[in-house]
């Protein structure tokens, strides 16, 4: 599949003429453009940096064949749109085009006891080719080739991120959720978590808009 990294948590996957977009949020300037080219949008949770309600709602009106998969609170916000918006939860499996997707995890990572934890799911695509965890360090019970690793945010911690990578055991890491780090911070984080750091796993930093083959 072709993988495109957008700013922050948003990515696109393309295979056999089908394009999936995951987590087009308000921190992603290219969100509307990415969604306009999508056949399906997958949303991990309701936070604005992962779910731009205006962008997705407008796309559902303008693109009659667009489908959305998301936790129930997001579906409650968007409405069902004649079944094109579907609620998913841990344990679900669905196919879209030639993609197969399994759903993992339940809750957003803890920020603070005073802050509610929304539903958060991760998406494992094509039997482990890629895993997008949203905002959680949930370890799927499956092999993962490419792990999309969040590296900044009020809930992240580098030590926990390192233990998470060790638990998942991916063959490679691609950094996401990076916008709260300066360039120096991203370099330092990659060095600590990468192949010569705590995990022994290659980590890739992609400039937004970059497309690679997985």
């Amino acid at each position: 599949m072709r993988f495109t990294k957008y700013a922050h948590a948003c990515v696109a996957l393309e295979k056999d003429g089908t394009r999936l977009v995951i987590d087009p949020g308000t921190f992603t300037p290219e969100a509307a453009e990415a969604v306009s080219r999508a056949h399906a949008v997958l949303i991990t949770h309701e936070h604005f940096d992962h779910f731009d309600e205006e962008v997705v709602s407008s796309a559902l009106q303008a693109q009659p064949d667009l489908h959305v998969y998301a936790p129930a609170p997001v579906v409650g916000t968007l409405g069902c749109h004649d079944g094109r918006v579907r609620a998913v939860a841990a344990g679900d499996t669905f196919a879209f085009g030639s993609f197969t997707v399994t759903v993992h995890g339940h809750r957003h990572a803890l920020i603070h006891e005073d802050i509610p934890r929304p539903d958060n799911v991760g998406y494992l695509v094509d039997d482990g080719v890629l895993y997008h965890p949203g905002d959680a360090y949930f370890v799927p019970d499956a092999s993962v080739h490419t792990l999309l690793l969040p590296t900044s945010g009020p809930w992240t911690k580098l030590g926990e991120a390192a233990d998470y990578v060790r638990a998942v055991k991916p063959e490679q890491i691609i950094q996401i959720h990076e916008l709260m780090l300066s360039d120096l911070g991203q370099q330092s984080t990659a060095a600590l978590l990468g192949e010569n750091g705590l995990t022994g796993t290659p980590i890739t930093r992609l400039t937004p808009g970059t497309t690679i083959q997985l």
Side-chain angles (χ1 to χ4, degrees), residues 104-123:
H104 301 263
H106 303 276
R107 287 282 181 269
H108 192 286
L110 179 67
I111 298 173
H112 189 275
E113 293 291 349
D114 292 349
I115 299 176
R117 298 170 64 190
D119 292 349
N120 179 101
V121 298
Y123 295 107

Side-chain angles (χ1 to χ4, degrees), residues 48-161:
F48 62 87
D49 56 326
H50 295 253
F51 169 45
D52 188 323
E53 180 184 346
E54 181 178 351
V55 163
V56 179
S57 294
S58 296
L60 282 165
Q61 296 292 336
Q63 299 162 233
D65 294 326
L66 181 67
H67 291 252
V68 176
Y69 299 84
V74 174
V75 176
T77 298
L78 291 173
C80 66
H81 288 266
D82 296 322
R84 291 190 292 131
V85 180
R86 174 180 162 184
V88 295
D92 288 347
T93 299
F94 61 91
F96 196 89
S98 61
F99 286 103
T100 58
V101 182
T102 57
V103 184
H104 301 263
H106 303 276
R107 287 282 181 269
H108 192 286
L110 179 67
I111 298 173
H112 189 275
E113 293 291 349
D114 292 349
I115 299 176
R117 298 170 64 190
D119 292 349
N120 179 101
V121 298
Y123 295 107
L124 186 72
V125 181
D126 282 359
D127 297 320
V129 171
L130 176 137
Y131 183 61
H132 191 312
D135 279 3
Y137 291 140
F138 183 86
V139 180
D141 184 18
S143 297
V144 175
H145 181 275
T146 299
L147 173 66
L148 305 185
L149 181 67
T151 57
S152 76
W155 61 275
T156 59
K157 194 181 225 179
L158 292 184
E160 291 179 1

Side-chain angles (χ1 to χ4, degrees), residues 145-147 149 165 170-175 190 193-197 199-205:
H145 181 275
T146 299
L147 173 66
L149 181 67
V165 173
E171 294 185 30
Q172 67 171 346
I173 306 162
I174 295 176
Q175 174 184 245
L193 296 178
E195 190 167 16
N196 297 314
T199 70
T201 305
I203 186 168
T204 300
R205 294 175 58 209

Side-chain angles (χ1 to χ4, degrees), residues 31-55:
E33 183 274 334
V35 172
S36 73
R37 299 169 56 201
H39 299 98
V41 173
L42 284 56
I43 297 166
T44 62
H45 65 289
E46 64 196 73
H47 284 166
F48 62 87
D49 56 326
H50 295 253
F51 169 45
D52 188 323
E53 180 184 346
E54 181 178 351
V55 163

